[in-house]
Amino acid sequence: VGEKMLELVERLERSGTIPLLEFWGQMRHRAEAVTAFLATLELIRLGVVRAFQAAPFAEIHATRTERVFSPDQVRDTYR
């Protein structure tokens, strides 16, 4: 999860806003896609990423917030 969190943050810092399906769609295996989805949820929870939808049933996009993020914030264990 930590690696995918860093990957998503780096991509958002380069691109600004990305469609989440595009990010998740690049994963080669189901387990990797699930991991990327969990990483996305964790970044939203931390306030590092904001997800939004322009209209009902439209594609969901992610954008980087101003909140500072460092790899030290990534935990490998959760309860």
Side-chain angles (χ1 to χ4, degrees), residues 2-3 5 14-15 23-24 33 36 43-44 55 63 66-67 71-72:
E3 289 177 20
M5 289 172 70
R14 280 192 319 269
S15 303
F23 176 67
W24 298 328
L43 288 168
I44 292 168
T63 189
E66 297 294 321
R67 183 164 292 209
D72 299 332

Side-chain angles (χ1 to χ4, degrees), residues 12-75:
L12 288 171
E13 287 175 348
R14 280 192 319 269
S15 303
T17 299
I18 61 166
L20 284 174
L21 286 179
E22 180 183 304
F23 176 67
W24 298 328
Q26 293 176 343
M27 306 303 140
R28 302 184 103 176
H29 305 284
R30 182 178 296 155
E32 187 180 11
V34 170
T35 302
F37 177 74
L38 293 174
T40 304
L41 292 179
E42 182 64 7
L43 288 168
I44 292 168
R45 186 188 72 78
L46 292 171
V48 175
V49 169
R50 184 176 72 88
F52 64 94
Q53 193 174 23
F57 303 104
E59 191 165 12
I60 300 171
H61 288 74
T63 189
R64 180 78 164 84
T65 66
E66 297 294 321
R67 183 164 292 209
V68 176
F69 178 74
S70 73
D72 299 332
Q73 290 176 270
V74 177
R75 298 184 325 193

